[in-house]
C-alpha cells in the first residue's frame, strides 16, 4: 500500500503562540481546530494502518509519504498558481531526501525505489503464474 498524503502543517507549537491565540475570535479558533483535527486524522490513520501491517509482519508493504511541515501558500489547497506549484515541487524534492522515520535512515527516495521494485517484481511473478 502506497499512501500519498497531501501534506499538513502539524507543527502547531511552532505555528501558534499563546499571545496570538489569546487574541483570536471564534472563527480563528474554528480554523485552528479544523487544521489540528485534519492533522490528527492523518496521523491516526497512518498509525492504524502501520500497526495492522506490522501485526501481519508486512511492514515493508506499507509506505506513507507525507510532508508534515508545510507553511505559507503550500498549505492552501486551492492555490494552483505557477509560483505555488514550483514551491510544491521543491517541497517534494526536499521530502525525497528526508528519512522515512526517526527509526530508519532510509530516505523517501530510497523507500520509493524499493517499493517500485517490490511492485514490479510482484507483477512479474503474477504474469509468470498466469502464463502456466
Amino acid at each position: 500500500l502506497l499512501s500519498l498524503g497531501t501534506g499538513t502543517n502539524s507543527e502547531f507549537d511552532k505555528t501558534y503562540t499563546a499571545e496570538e491565540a489569546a487574541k483570536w475570535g471564534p472563527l480563528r479558533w474554528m480554523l485552528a481546530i479544523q487544521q489540528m483535527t485534519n492533522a490528527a486524522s492523518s496521523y491516526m490513520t497512518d498509525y492504524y494502518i502501520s500497526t495492522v501491517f506490522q501485526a501481519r509482519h508486512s511492514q515493508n508493504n506499507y509506505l506513507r509519504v507525507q510532508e508534515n511541515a508545510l507553511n505559507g501558500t503550500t498549505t492552501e489547497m486551492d492555490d494552483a498558481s505557477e509560483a505555488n506549484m514550483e514551491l510544491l515541487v521543491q517541497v517534494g524534492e526536499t521530502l525525497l531526501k528526508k528519512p522515512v522515520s526517526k527509526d530508519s535512515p532510509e530516505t523517501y527516495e530510497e523507500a520509493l525505489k524499493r517499493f517500485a521494485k517490490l511492485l514490479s517484481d510482484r507483477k512479474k511473478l503474477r504474469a509468470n503464474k498466469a502464463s502456466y
Side-chain angles (χ1 to χ4, degrees), residues 39 59 64 94-95 116 118:
Q59 55 268 28
R64 172 73 173 168
T94 301
L95 182 62
L118 176 71

Side-chain angles (χ1 to χ4, degrees), residues 78-125:
D78 61 347
D79 185 350
S81 67
E82 188 172 333
N84 199 46
M85 293 295 106
E86 289 174 12
L87 283 173
L88 289 169
V89 167
Q90 290 175 4
V91 167
E93 289 172 348
T94 301
L95 182 62
L96 286 173
K97 305 300 181 209
K98 289 183 179 181
V100 172
S101 72
K102 294 175 186 172
D103 303 328
S104 170
E106 183 180 44
T107 65
Y108 279 104
E109 183 174 17
E110 294 164 340
L112 286 166
K113 286 178 181 177
R114 175 183 52 78
F115 213 75
K117 181 168 179 8
L118 176 71
L119 292 173
S120 176
D121 290 348
R122 291 205 177 153
K123 182 178 180 183
K124 289 174 188 173
L125 181 63

Side-chain angles (χ1 to χ4, degrees), residues 2-7 62-67 95-96 108 112:
L2 177 60
S3 175
L4 301 175
T6 58
Y62 173 66
L63 177 62
R64 172 73 173 168
V65 179
Q66 168 95 335
E67 175 57 74
L95 182 62
L96 286 173
Y108 279 104
L112 286 166

Side-chain angles (χ1 to χ4, degrees), residues 1-4 42-43 45-54 58-65 100 111 114-115 118:
L1 174 63
L2 177 60
S3 175
L4 301 175
S42 176
Y43 277 120
T45 301
D46 177 38
Y47 177 78
Y48 174 73
I49 294 173
S50 177
T51 301
V52 169
F53 274 81
Q54 287 176 18
S58 301
Q59 55 268 28
N60 289 334
N61 294 335
Y62 173 66
L63 177 62
R64 172 73 173 168
V65 179
V100 172
R114 175 183 52 78
F115 213 75
L118 176 71

Side-chain angles (χ1 to χ4, degrees), residues 12-50:
F12 299 110
D13 59 327
K14 297 176 183 119
T15 305
Y16 308 118
T17 65
E19 292 80 24
E20 287 176 315
K23 299 173 189 169
W24 291 350
L27 291 176
R28 183 65 184 100
W29 272 106
M30 286 174 45
L31 176 62
I33 290 170
Q34 178 189 21
Q35 290 172 342
M36 291 177 193
T37 302
N38 289 344
S41 175
S42 176
Y43 277 120
M44 290 308 301
T45 301
D46 177 38
Y47 177 78
Y48 174 73
I49 294 173
S50 177

